[in-house]
Amino acid sequence: MPQDKDFAAPYRITDGRRFRLRDIDPGDTGGLKSKDKARESLAAGVEQLAALQEKLYAQDRWAVLLVFQAMDAAGKDGAVEHVMSGVNPQGVQVFSFKSPSPEELDHDFLWRTARCLPERGRIGIFNRSYYEEVLVVRVHPEYLKGQHLPEELVTKRIWEQRCEDIAAHERYLSRNGVKIVKFFLHVSKAEQKRRFLSRLDEPEKNWKFSAGDVRERGHWDEYQAAYEDAIRRTATKDAPWYVIPADNKWFTRLAVARAVVDTLEGLDLHFPRVGEEQRRGFAEARALLEAEGGGKAAKKKR
Ligand code: ATP
Ligand code: MG
């Protein structure tokens, strides 16, 4: 019987140099055979997450940034929705990054995401991120023209340089107390086709269908190569990637929840400790409250 610890740790990459995408099977379910077992473990993970998040918020020291990247229809939105279902919405901020606006294009490529970084005590979620700059832009280098970069800076080494800058940015953030975890939801080409077809076949899913997504699918191998290279260059101990099998949504959600729990558990979170002085203040406050007597105000709910 697989244990909870088996659902995320095997997919964590902390040293990208030896990473190969083909070593991770999109159909893997961590040894679990049924959805039912997964449902139980997911529920347990979501509950743990809620308790950890409360401490994260109260402690107000660490910020947590969860980056989600994937091919279309890999289940990013569903994973975010399920995993965060139990947490206090005030402690979580979700940002989706689509094609950049003209204002965003007039800035360096980290500008738009830097403005959305989570505050201490919060969990920030990036649904797509600055990684698009070495993924979609690499697959469509013509997008670089829209970025108005000085010509001499656009060389063959630009992707390598961008990955280096991303890694440096993440190291900087981690030195400032932002715990970064990156997820690549790894879906197979065959499963993506099935999901696109069900978007066409099922009326309530029609709204999700986009002909553009089918065109992007034509660049499948280039995207996979770009993902592999980006992960190889940016997976570190401080900012690990989790490459999560994504052909079974029930497993993806469970693995992501477990990865987030593992991450928070690694932070030594605790409620702020109350000092002597504060405790004396408590005694005074209690005395004041009790002196009010048993009138109306005392009965009122807080
Ligand atoms: P869904 O799963 O609902 O399709 P999505 O994240 O794919 O969600 P879309 O609105 O379909 O959202 O697509 C956003 C598009 O924006 C993606 O195709 C992505 O590659 C593109 N994009 C994101 N960042 C950049 C960027 N920096 N430069 C160019 N394109 C980008
Ligand atoms: Mg899309």
Side-chain angles (χ1 to χ4, degrees):
M1 188 52 206
Q3 302 295 303
D4 282 350
K5 65 174 172 34
D6 300 327
F7 300 140
Y11 311 106
R12 183 176 56 226
I13 321 292
T14 52
D15 176 359
R17 284 169 300 182
R18 282 187 305 274
F19 173 70
R20 291 270 179 273
L21 200 47
R22 62 166 180 266
D23 292 342
I24 295 183
D25 170 11
D28 186 3
T29 55
L32 273 183
K33 302 236 162 21
S34 83
K35 270 189 194 181
D36 295 337
K37 270 274 150 252
R39 202 173 296 131
E40 273 169 40
S41 290
L42 175 61
V46 166
E47 208 168 296
Q48 277 175 287
L49 198 60
L52 287 160
Q53 187 236 355
E54 217 177 303
K55 287 186 188 168
L56 178 83
Y57 188 87
Q59 190 179 9
D60 200 22
R61 290 292 178 274
W62 293 94
V64 174
L65 175 62
L66 310 176
V67 172
F68 286 86
Q69 288 289 157
M71 297 297 285
D72 285 302
K76 277 185 285 113
D77 293 1
V80 170
E81 183 188 326
H82 279 78
V83 170
M84 291 299 153
S85 58
V87 305
N88 179 348
Q90 295 207 71
V92 186
Q93 300 152 316
V94 185
F95 297 95
S96 298
F97 296 99
K98 316 253 177 198
S99 297
S101 68
E103 186 190 21
E104 289 166 348
L105 287 168
D106 258 340
H107 287 270
D108 63 278
F109 78 84
L110 289 171
W111 183 77
R112 69 168 173 165
T113 47
R115 307 164 89 204
C116 301
L117 289 168
E119 301 157 48
R120 296 190 195 287
R122 308 284 171 105
I123 299 177
I125 296 179
F126 284 180
N127 184 346
R128 301 193 187 274
S129 66
Y130 41 79
Y131 279 99
E132 292 292 330
E133 295 291 333
V134 292
L135 298 165
V136 66
V137 184
R138 185 170 186 175
V139 172
H140 298 282
E142 64 275 15
Y143 290 177
L144 274 177
K145 288 202 188 73
Q147 301 191 354
H148 314 298
L149 288 159
E151 236 166 75
E152 69 203 80
L153 300 180
V154 183
T155 70
K156 271 205 219 110
R157 294 191 58 219
I158 191 160
W159 314 116
E160 178 190 335
Q161 289 171 340
R162 283 188 170 191
C163 285
E164 205 179 285
D165 293 335
I166 287 172
H169 178 64
E170 291 180 344
R171 188 182 59 191
Y172 160 79
L173 292 174
S174 73
R175 286 174 173 169
N176 277 273
V178 183
K179 183 72 207 161
I180 304 176
V181 177
K182 304 162 295 191
F183 293 97
F184 173 47
L185 307 189
H186 184 29
V187 73
S188 68
K189 198 174 180 188
E191 178 60 23
Q192 190 199 51
K193 181 175 172 179
R194 269 192 290 279
R195 292 183 189 175
F196 282 171
L197 286 172
S198 76
R199 289 177 179 187
L200 291 172
D201 293 341
E202 297 169 38
E204 68 280 16
K205 287 189 184 166
N206 283 170
W207 65 274
K208 286 192 196 173
F209 182 77
S210 139
D213 290 354
V214 177
R215 268 197 305 280
E216 284 314 284
R217 176 179 165 81
H219 297 283
W220 187 271
D221 292 346
E222 294 148 77
Y223 271 109
Q224 300 294 301
Y227 267 109
E228 182 175 84
D229 192 55
I231 293 167
R232 286 176 67 92
R233 293 181 188 279
T234 59
T236 62
K237 259 184 98 196
D238 290 332
W241 273 98
Y242 280 88
V243 179
I244 306 275
D247 277 6
N248 297 283
K249 288 181 181 173
W250 53 268
F251 182 69
T252 310
R253 291 164 188 176
L254 167 60
V256 171
R258 181 48 46 191
V260 181
V261 168
D262 288 353
T263 303
L264 293 178
E265 280 183 338
L267 294 182
D268 179 34
L269 300 176
H270 52 77
F271 288 112
R273 293 185 184 99
V274 175
E276 251 326 288
E277 202 173 321
Q278 247 179 315
R279 216 175 283 284
R280 273 197 293 278
F282 284 2
E284 268 169 49
R286 178 185 299 280
L288 275 173
L289 287 168
E290 284 170 353
E292 284 178 5
K296 241 186 189 171
K299 282 201 196 115
K300 240 189 200 167
K301 265 198 175 161
R302 263 198 303 151

